[in-house]
Amino acid sequence: MGDRYNIHSQLEHLQSKYVGTGHADTSKWEWSSNIHRDTYASYLGHFDMLNHIALCENESKARVRFQLLKRMIQPCGPPHEKMDES
């Protein structure tokens, strides 16, 4: 019984510390936005990956970096309106 509580408290601490880990109330839109943002951040952080994308798209590295940063604002479009539980 003690182990179960310990694991649960560790999970809650992890979820409060890192936004992208999600929780029980995370919507599909929030989860997919976090995944897309993590992916774009990884592309921006790895210089060789950014070079590869720029080469494949025949664009400059600065333009590809700008486009990726722009996509990070709303990677999955605007959020969906929540339905009322009335």
Side-chain angles (χ1 to χ4, degrees), residues 36-76:
H36 279 83
R37 284 190 182 115
D38 286 347
T39 303
Y40 293 148
S42 178
Y43 292 159
L44 291 170
H46 291 91
F47 185 71
D48 292 333
M49 199 62 167
L50 189 65
N51 284 340
H52 178 72
I53 294 170
L55 181 67
C56 291
E57 291 183 357
N58 197 22
E59 295 282 348
S60 68
K61 289 181 274 188
R63 181 169 302 273
V64 170
R65 183 183 309 266
F66 175 74
Q67 289 173 348
L68 289 174
L69 285 171
K70 196 167 130 181
R71 287 183 202 163
M72 285 178 78
I73 295 171
Q74 281 190 339
C76 298

Side-chain angles (χ1 to χ4, degrees), residues 4-5 8 13 16-17 21 24-26 29 32 34 37 39 47 50 54 59-60 62 71 73 78 80 82-84:
R4 186 180 303 169
Y5 176 75
H8 185 67
H13 175 69
S16 67
K17 189 174 179 183
T21 55
D25 296 330
T26 302
W29 181 84
S32 60
N34 286 332
R37 284 190 182 115
T39 303
F47 185 71
L50 189 65
E59 295 282 348
S60 68
R71 287 183 202 163
I73 295 171
H80 300 289
K82 294 183 179 181
M83 297 175 58
D84 292 334

